[in-house]
Amino acid sequence: MTTRSISTNKPAKILPRSTALILAFSLALAGCAGREARPVASTNPSDSAFDCAGITREFEANERQISSTVKERTDAQGKNIVLGATGVLLFLPALFFMDPKSPEKVEIDALRNRNNVLTSIAKSKGCRAPKSQLTELYKHLDSKPKPASSSDSRN
């Protein structure tokens, strides 16, 4: 089926209905890919009311959250690899479902900053500083190369 263009009187090409539906569906779902970061605040108004046990409890809860967020990040990176390969090799609209934002990194960094604040609060109150159980995980996270920013480019 072709239609005539009004201005040039030449046949205009129309996408097959199935291709148009797949493209529209892919674009609609592309907006659903990923999620927004939900970082915690480094300081809270109630920080001054913490006792030593409360500081330790929150520190440990933050470390549990970091562990689960790292697992979520690993899963998301694996999903992005699969979607990227599928999009390049088989089905181009699969690329729309990738999540380039990496909200997990923002959340992990915020939780680590919060734990640094909790450690300094513990020291200022004369408490024993909470001991991290994730030192190996932190070494692994810190050893990953940072992406180059546009200001790092040389002329």
Side-chain angles (χ1 to χ4, degrees):
M1 170 184 216
T2 59
T3 58
R4 301 252 175 221
S5 174
I6 296 173
S7 62
T8 61
N9 206 16
K10 293 182 182 179
K13 294 186 180 185
I14 298 177
L15 288 175
R17 177 176 260 171
S18 61
T19 305
L21 286 174
I22 289 172
L23 186 60
F25 183 70
S26 297
L27 289 174
L29 286 178
C32 300
R35 64 174 179 81
E36 291 298 316
R38 296 177 302 271
V40 298
S42 294
T43 59
N44 291 327
S46 62
D47 284 348
S48 61
F50 270 135
D51 61 350
C52 295
I55 292 170
T56 302
R57 277 192 305 273
E58 185 169 345
F59 187 93
E60 291 170 353
N62 288 345
E63 287 210 329
R64 285 191 299 274
Q65 184 64 39
I66 288 170
S67 294
S68 67
T69 305
V70 165
K71 182 182 179 333
E72 181 184 346
R73 181 178 182 198
T74 303
D75 293 346
Q77 287 172 337
K79 182 182 125 189
N80 279 346
I81 290 169
V82 169
L83 287 172
T86 302
V88 169
L89 298 174
L90 300 173
F91 187 63
L92 192 62
L95 295 174
F96 291 114
F97 296 100
M98 293 178 66
D99 184 13
K101 293 184 249 180
S102 188
E104 299 87 7
K105 177 164 178 20
V106 173
E107 293 171 0
I108 291 167
D109 290 344
L111 287 164
R112 288 180 72 182
N113 288 337
R114 175 67 179 151
N115 277 356
N116 289 337
V117 169
L118 290 172
T119 300
S120 66
I121 292 171
K123 288 179 184 175
S124 70
K125 291 192 171 213
C127 303
R128 193 171 54 149
K131 190 75 173 162
S132 175
Q133 303 297 314
L134 302 176
T135 52
E136 289 301 315
L137 177 64
Y138 291 155
K139 286 179 188 176
H140 179 70
L141 289 173
D142 293 339
S143 69
K144 290 190 177 187
K146 305 253 190 248
S149 67
S150 60
S151 63
D152 292 342
S153 62
R154 295 189 172 111
N155 294 335

